[in-house]
């Protein structure tokens, strides 16, 4: 801006024209501005009637007589170049004896702008709750209207002839200078200041001003007190943030930490969230009234600087007994309280003030965490650096925030209660974690989900079978929660029962599939599609050193050989249980003694790779490369489980088994033709073998059992007939196989019957007995327990 225009606002009507009329209405004076306005030179106008200047059809009031009466009128005048010009005319009587009129005229547009500007400035300067100031190019105040209230006019430092009027430069001055130099207005710029110790928010708007010649000649500043608006926005944002942040978890401790982090620095400088001990474990809090032990734990805390004050009760500590105080009783009844430092000291007592009251704390708000008729605890918020005490509006806001937080805490408490019950039920339904038998040494691990729907129906099982065999089972029921756990219990019982019938794994899964279809039919219509499971059954025979497996939509097992090489066993992937109509197939593999067989659910694969099961299986195989099969099973299990994510959404069941084998010297197999002589030969072979094993004391009963079973096989089963003896720790196992599929029946013979007593006698002499079917024929087996003899394996 040119220096010579500083502070010069110019004339608001730069094109002001003038003319003088005599008493007859003739033009006797014509200014150059008038000539420029109408494009008519003086010689074209002087001496002629002024009425000739009017455009055709102009109103009579625009005649000289009309002007003399009205004094001011808007007129349309003839333009020398053609057309017409709208002007405002102002008439005054000329002084002197000659009389006449003096006319002043300006373009109507310029006059209107001038009038509107004056009206606008007057309106602004008349506002009670709006501050307005007009500044010249040196930022001096020319006109000002300060609003009613405590908000002062912003100050500027002005350099006059004698130097600065005020020392220092205010941010407001920088704002004015910025607008003056750039010509770009600033709208709603906020500034915070303290008036009489109270924090206020002032919003500034600054606009550039131009004089009539188009040069910037100053600025117009408008300011207003927006403290309440800013506080309302901040409170609404805080309420919204708390609703989103605190409700995003079902972990009680995390919800308490989130609440403390919202309150600081949102509403205070120090906050502590204290919950009933029962709430932290998922139970309902006790109902208390009055002082004494409140059974509260400081679950979370937050400070403005992030450092916990020395001497203050830390998070995780149990609160000492509290005095019976009116504020305490208000909180116990569900009402928020606000007090000052003196009131807080009276509430907790002088001796306990150091662990409850932070240094510099002057205003305290205590808000109950009340949900569904239960007082879960409370939140305490202190102000230290903020000099303002808590207002009634802030007490209401704290109540709203803590009410929502209390619902989240109670939901988390109820979830934890149900989760704990479901986990307890799940663990009660699962077998013991470790087993040790002739066939395998096992360890099982179950990891419940930590997020999402809670525990699901994952399970594992180790089922001893006759002939020293063992069934290893792992399964995963669709869904989460108690319903999935209950379904798991039913399926596990069914698998145990069917396994005891010595069914092959594929036949066993077919029977369980029928059960799952029945469970689906019994479910409500909207839940029928959610009933199902996956399952893997592996039957290991330590005598043959062979494992037979079948899968119902389950991930393949991991087999680690004694030399450390690992591979996933490709079991034919049958359909999940409950689909129906599809067959299951078996896969048999030879397993060396000392091998590791790991069965798992898909939660183990998802914990690091989400739904990418192939990537999860690669991770599992890679992790097994660092294992030594001779390591303790607990270490192997921990390595396979790997990193446990805190927020995993699925359960994990893992069963790890180390295989063993029955030495060849502890088993013997004979085969006989289906002839009567085979019975005597079998008795002789058995007696000789028992003598070599040092089991002479079992000879009588074993001879009788073998005689009866071989006789029945020769008579009813057909040949060839095989006899196998297995010496196991504390048990002698006898197995007789024939080619018949007829199920043996145990019955009591009448006195006149010639037969029917053999199998009854076998049942009386053996510890237990049973039968199983093979691909062709069947096998009748018995077990005889003995003590005091060493296992020669």
């Amino acid at each position: 801006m040119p220096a010579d225009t500083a502070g010069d606002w110019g004339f608001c009507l730069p094109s002001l024209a003038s003319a003088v009329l005599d008493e007859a209405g003739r033009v006797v004076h014509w200014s150059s501005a008038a000539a420029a306005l109408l494009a008519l030179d003086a010689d074209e106008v002087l001496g002629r009637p002024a009425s000739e200047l009017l455009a055709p059809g102009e109103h009579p009031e625009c005649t000289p007589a009309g002007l003399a009466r009205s004094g001011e009128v808007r007129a349309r005048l003839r333009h020398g170049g053609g057309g017409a010009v709208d002007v405002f005319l102002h008439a005054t009587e000329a002084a002197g004896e000659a009389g006449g009129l003096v006319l002043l005229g300006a373009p109507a547009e310029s006059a209107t702008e001038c009038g509107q500007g004056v009206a606008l400035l007057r309106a602004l300067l008349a506002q009670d709750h709006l501050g307005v100031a007009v500044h010249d190019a040196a930022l001096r105040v020319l006109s000002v209207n300060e609003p009613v209230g405590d908000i002062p006019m912003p100050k500027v430092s002005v350099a006059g002839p004698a130097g600065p009027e005020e020392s220092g430069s205010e941010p407001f001055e920088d704002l004015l200078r910025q607008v003056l130099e750039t010509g770009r207005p600033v709208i709603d710029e906020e500034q915070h200041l303290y008036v009489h110790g109270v924090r206020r928010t002032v919003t500034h708007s600054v606009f550039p001003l131009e004089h009539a010649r188009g040069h910037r000649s100053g600025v117009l500043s408008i300011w207003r007190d927006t403290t309440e608006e800013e506080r309302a926005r901040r409170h609404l944002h805080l309420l919204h943030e708390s609703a989103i942040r605190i409700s995003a978890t079902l972990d009680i401790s995390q919800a308490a930490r989130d609440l403390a982090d919202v309150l600081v620095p949102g509403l205070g400088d120090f906050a502590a969230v204290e919950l009933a001990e029962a709430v932290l474990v998922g139970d309902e809090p006790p109902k208390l009234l009055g002082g004494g032990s409140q059974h509260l734990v400081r679950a979370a805390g937050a400070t403005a600087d992030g450092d916990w004050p020395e001497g203050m009760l830390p998070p995780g500590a149990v609160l000492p007994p509290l005095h019976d105080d009116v504020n305490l009783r208000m909180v116990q009844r569900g009402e928020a309280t606000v007090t000052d430092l003196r009131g807080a000291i009276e509430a907790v007592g002088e001796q306990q003030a150091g662990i409850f009251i932070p240094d510099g704390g002057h205003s305290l708000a205590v808000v109950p965490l009340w949900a569904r008729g239960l007082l879960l605890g409370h939140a305490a918020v202190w102000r230290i650096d903020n000099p303002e005490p808590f207002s009634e509006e802030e007490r209401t806001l704290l109540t709203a925030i803590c009410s929502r937080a209390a619902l989240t805490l109670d939901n988390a408490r109820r979830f934890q209660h149900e989760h704990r019950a479901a986990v307890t039920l799940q663990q009660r339904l699962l077998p013991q974690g470790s087993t040790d038998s002739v066939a395998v040494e096992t360890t099982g691990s179950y990891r419940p989900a930590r997020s999402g729907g809670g525990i699901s129906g994952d399970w594992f099982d180790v089922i001893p079978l006759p002939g020293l065999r063992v069934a290893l089972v792992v399964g995963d029921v669709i869904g989460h929660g108690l319903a999935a756990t209950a379904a798991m219990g039913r399926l596990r019982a069914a698998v145990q029962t069917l396994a005891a019938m010595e069914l092959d794994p594929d036949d066993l899964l077919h029977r369980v599939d029928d059960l799952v279809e029945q469970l689906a039919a019994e479910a409500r219509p909207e839940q029928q599609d959610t009933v199902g499971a996956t399952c893997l059954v592996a039957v290991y025979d330590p005598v043959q050193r062979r494992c037979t497996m079948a899968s119902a939509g389950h991930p393949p097992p991991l087999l680690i050989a004694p030399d450390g090489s690992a591979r996933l066993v490709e079991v034919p992937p049958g359909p999940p249980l409950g689909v129906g109509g599809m067959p299951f197939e078996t896969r048999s593999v030879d397993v060396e003694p000392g091998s590791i067989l790991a069965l798992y659910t898909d939660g183990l694969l998802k914990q690091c790779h989400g739904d990418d099961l192939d990537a999860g299986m690669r991770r599992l195989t890679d992790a097994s490369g660092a294992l030594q099969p001779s390591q303790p099973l607990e270490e192997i299990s921990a390595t396979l489980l790997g990193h446990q994510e805190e927020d995993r959404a699925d359960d994990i069941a893992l069963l790890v088994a180390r295989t063993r084998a029955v030495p060849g010297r502890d088993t013997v197999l004979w085969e006989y033709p289906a002839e009567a002589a085979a019975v005597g030969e079998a008795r002789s072979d058995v007696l000789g073998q028992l003598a070599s094993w040092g089991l002479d004391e079992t000879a009588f009963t074993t001879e009788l059992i073998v005689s009866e079973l071989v006789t029945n096989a020769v008579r009813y089963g057909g040949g060839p007939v095989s006899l196998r003896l297995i010496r196991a720790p504390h048990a002698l196992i006898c197995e007789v196989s024939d080619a018949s599929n007829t199920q043996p029946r145990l019955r009591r013979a009448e006195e006149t019957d010639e037969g029917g007593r053999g199998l009854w006698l076998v049942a009386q002499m053996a510890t237990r007995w049973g039968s199983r079917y093979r691909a062709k024929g069947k096998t009748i087996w018995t077990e005889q327990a003995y003590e005091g003899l060493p296992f020669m394996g």
Side-chain angles (χ1 to χ4, degrees), residues 37-38 53-56 58 75-87:
L37 178 62
L38 297 181
L53 297 175
L54 298 177
E58 184 59 6
R76 182 179 290 271
L77 303 182
R78 179 169 56 86
H79 191 270
V85 178
D86 287 332
V87 297

Side-chain angles (χ1 to χ4, degrees), residues 329-406:
R329 287 179 174 262
M330 286 180 64
V331 172
Q332 291 173 337
R333 289 194 296 266
E335 301 178 34
T337 67
V338 172
T339 186
D340 56 12
L341 177 60
R342 180 180 297 275
I345 295 176
E346 292 177 355
V348 300
E350 292 280 356
Q351 295 180 344
Q352 297 185 150
I355 64 173
F356 283 109
I357 302 176
D359 291 340
H362 63 84
S363 184
L364 168 67
V366 181
V367 188
L369 296 169
W370 189 275
R372 300 184 179 95
L374 299 174
L375 181 62
L376 309 179
H378 61 260
V381 188
W382 278 96
R383 281 189 171 167
I384 303 173
D385 296 329
N386 186 344
E388 297 183 49
F390 286 103
S391 64
E392 181 62 25
E393 180 184 0
E394 289 170 329
R395 188 178 77 91
T396 302
L397 176 62
L398 277 167
T399 300
I401 292 175
C402 290
S403 294
R404 295 187 180 188

Side-chain angles (χ1 to χ4, degrees), residues 402-618:
C402 290
S403 294
R404 295 187 180 188
L407 287 175
T408 297
L409 287 166
D410 193 53
N411 288 337
R413 179 193 67 80
R414 290 153 66 98
F415 171 80
Q416 181 167 330
H417 181 80
E418 179 179 346
H419 187 269
R420 185 182 62 188
V423 169
T424 301
L425 177 61
Q426 180 95 339
Q427 292 173 341
R428 292 289 181 88
L429 291 175
L430 291 175
Q432 58 182 345
S434 300
T435 66
D436 197 350
S437 65
V438 174
V440 291
E441 174 193 6
T442 69
T443 184
S445 302
Y446 172 71
R447 299 291 185 270
R450 294 182 181 272
S451 64
I455 65 111
S456 60
D458 292 18
W459 89 93
F460 62 86
D461 214 341
V462 181
I463 307 172
L465 300 176
L468 302 182
R469 298 174 305 140
V470 64
L472 306 175
V473 184
V474 68
D476 185 355
V477 174
I478 294 176
H480 295 83
L482 290 174
T485 302
M488 178 273 286
R490 297 179 70 174
L491 291 184
R492 181 177 176 236
V495 170
Q496 287 180 323
T497 302
L498 294 171
M501 295 173 62
E502 302 189 68
L503 300 176
D504 289 336
D506 55 342
D507 193 14
L508 185 151
L509 289 178
H510 176 72
R511 303 286 184 89
V512 178
D513 183 59
D514 292 339
L515 172 62
V516 174
E517 289 190 57
Q518 179 182 345
L519 293 177
E522 295 174 355
R524 294 194 296 269
E526 66 274 12
Q527 296 178 340
Q528 289 179 350
D529 293 338
T530 63
V531 178
T534 64
C535 186
L536 178 70
V537 179
V539 176
Y540 174 66
D541 187 339
V543 177
Q544 297 182 344
R545 305 178 184 184
R546 193 167 183 78
C547 187
T548 303
M549 313 174 195
S551 172
H554 206 80
L558 177 69
L559 180 62
I560 306 174
D563 62 2
S565 61
R567 64 185 177 96
L568 294 171
V569 181
E570 297 182 0
V571 182
L577 299 174
V579 174
M582 300 288 289
F584 299 99
E585 301 180 37
T586 60
R587 168 77 186 279
S588 296
V589 294
D590 293 327
V591 180
E592 299 179 58
S595 298
I596 299 296
L597 190 62
L599 285 68
Y600 52 89
T601 57
D602 59 1
L604 180 65
L605 306 178
K606 294 178 180 178
Q607 63 171 330
C608 294
H609 298 280
D611 293 331
D612 190 348
L613 299 185
D614 291 336
M617 285 188 281
R618 288 194 297 271

